[in-house]
Amino acid sequence: MGPDEIIHQSLRLRIMATLNTLPKGEKLEFTRLKGLLKATDGNLGAHIATLENAGYVAVEKDFVDRKPRTRVAVTAAGRRAFEGHVGYLRELIDGTSEG
Amino acid sequence: MTITKEDANQALGEIEGARGRLREAIAYGYAWPYFVLWGLAWMIGDIGTEVAPPRLDGWIWPVTSITFTAASLVFAFIQQRRSPYAVAKRGGWRSMASTGNIMLFLVTLMFVIQPLDAKRAHSIFGLFFGFAYILQGVWFGWRLVVLGVLLVALTLFAFYALPLWGGYLAFMGVGGGGALVLGGLWLRKF
């Protein structure tokens, strides 16, 4: 299996690593994710949109106490892609995969 | 797309960093209300003991401990409902069981360790929680280590430098309790 070009970008990699660490089906608020990754609104939003278009994350928008809330979760396809990419990176380091 | 071994190492490092930061956030999310709560308890207990009339000063800490243990249980329920991490919500009963276990340990310790003067008894609590925070911090996040070291340092300074009445209690109430309250708010901001 080769590298995943969508996931490999630094911020997208960290987004996927964070979401993939959560239990299956759990969502994380956009503002919390922004704080954890020390990203800006615009930058994080753009990279989440890229991951969403690839089917790797699902974005859910709703209202809580009349305030808008955006939550992000990794999809099953996203988990598979992330684990595949991590596997590729490990194989590359072990010398069993070509760069 | 070409990825070198160095790129791969760096990427795996970024992944581990992101995972660690999430685990740290979850740990601080668990811990911060208890720091604020017990910081306030410490302030009330120590300053209350210092200023209360002699016939009441022995009752301040037992009443404060029972009240704030109950408040901790309420907070554990609130955490279950409000935490931004569902995984933390499922761990609420563990928080309650852990708090109850630690309180029972300290209460039984105070019974079996007697006779003990009040300053030593107070200092055991400060050192116990200080080192417990350091231990937790080694596993869950460096901010807990900072708070633990601060608490141990304050306790040792007060123990060796200040008399129980007119020094130690007021210092630990304001310094120790205040450090816990501010530390809890610091954890919350992570």
Side-chain angles (χ1 to χ4, degrees):
Chain A
M1 188 180 236
D4 189 310
E5 293 190 27
I6 294 168
I7 289 178
H8 192 68
Q9 192 278 338
S10 176
L11 183 55
R12 290 199 288 268
L13 189 70
R14 287 184 291 133
I15 293 168
M16 291 300 289
T18 303
L19 296 176
N20 202 56
T21 304
L22 293 169
K24 195 177 176 183
E26 184 160 328
K27 306 173 186 82
L28 195 60
E29 285 191 29
F30 182 91
T31 49
R32 200 75 192 100
L33 190 58
K34 188 178 77 171
L36 286 171
L37 300 174
K38 296 188 185 302
T40 61
D41 277 329
N43 200 17
L44 183 61
H47 285 296
I48 284 177
T50 302
L51 292 168
E52 188 181 19
N53 290 335
Y56 291 169
V57 301
V59 179
E60 187 181 291
K61 296 185 180 194
D62 59 5
F63 286 85
V64 177
D65 299 330
R66 296 183 184 177
K67 290 178 186 166
R69 179 178 67 168
T70 302
R71 291 186 297 169
V72 191
V74 67
T75 62
R79 273 189 200 277
R80 281 196 300 274
F82 179 75
E83 281 157 17
H85 186 67
V86 171
Y88 170 80
L89 295 174
R90 290 201 175 121
E91 284 175 10
L92 188 62
I93 292 167
D94 293 341
T96 53
S97 184
E98 289 182 13
Chain B
M1 185 181 196
T2 305
I3 298 177
T4 64
K5 277 192 178 185
E6 288 72 30
D7 293 336
N9 262 319
Q10 189 184 339
L12 288 176
E14 286 188 29
I15 289 168
E16 201 41 54
R19 286 175 170 162
R21 209 165 155 74
L22 178 68
R23 284 193 288 265
E24 202 174 345
I26 291 172
Y28 293 163
Y30 270 131
W32 80 262
Y34 301 100
F35 274 82
V36 173
L37 207 59
W38 285 95
L40 292 172
W42 207 324
M43 284 179 169
I44 293 167
D46 276 0
I47 296 170
T49 305
E50 171 80 35
V51 301
R55 63 189 168 84
L56 290 178
D57 64 18
W59 286 97
I60 302 290
W61 258 114
V63 171
T64 304
S65 302
I66 291 166
T67 306
F68 279 83
T69 300
S72 295
L73 297 178
V74 172
F75 251 104
F77 276 116
I78 293 171
Q79 270 192 323
Q80 279 186 305
R81 293 169 61 91
R82 290 194 177 173
S83 172
Y85 308 106
V87 65
K89 292 177 187 181
R90 287 193 289 273
W93 71 269
R94 288 192 172 88
S95 296
M96 285 189 279
S98 302
T99 305
N101 190 46
I102 289 167
M103 294 312 295
L104 277 175
F105 165 71
L106 288 171
V107 168
T108 50
L109 181 71
M110 285 299 112
F111 276 113
V112 301
I113 211 168
Q114 297 297 334
L116 195 68
D117 67 71
K119 194 166 145 185
R120 283 182 202 280
H122 272 75
S123 298
I124 284 173
F125 281 87
L127 294 175
F128 174 86
F129 283 108
F131 282 109
Y133 298 152
I134 293 170
L135 191 62
Q136 288 175 327
V138 168
W139 289 94
F140 300 117
W142 64 272
R143 290 189 184 196
L144 290 169
V145 175
V146 172
L147 291 176
V149 169
L150 181 63
L151 198 54
V152 168
L154 289 171
T155 304
L156 288 176
F157 168 77
F159 181 78
Y160 285 109
L162 302 170
L164 179 66
W165 300 103
Y168 180 93
L169 287 171
F171 177 83
M172 289 308 291
V174 175
L180 287 188
V181 170
L182 293 175
L185 298 176
W186 185 44
L187 295 183
R188 190 188 182 196
K189 278 181 74 72
F190 182 78

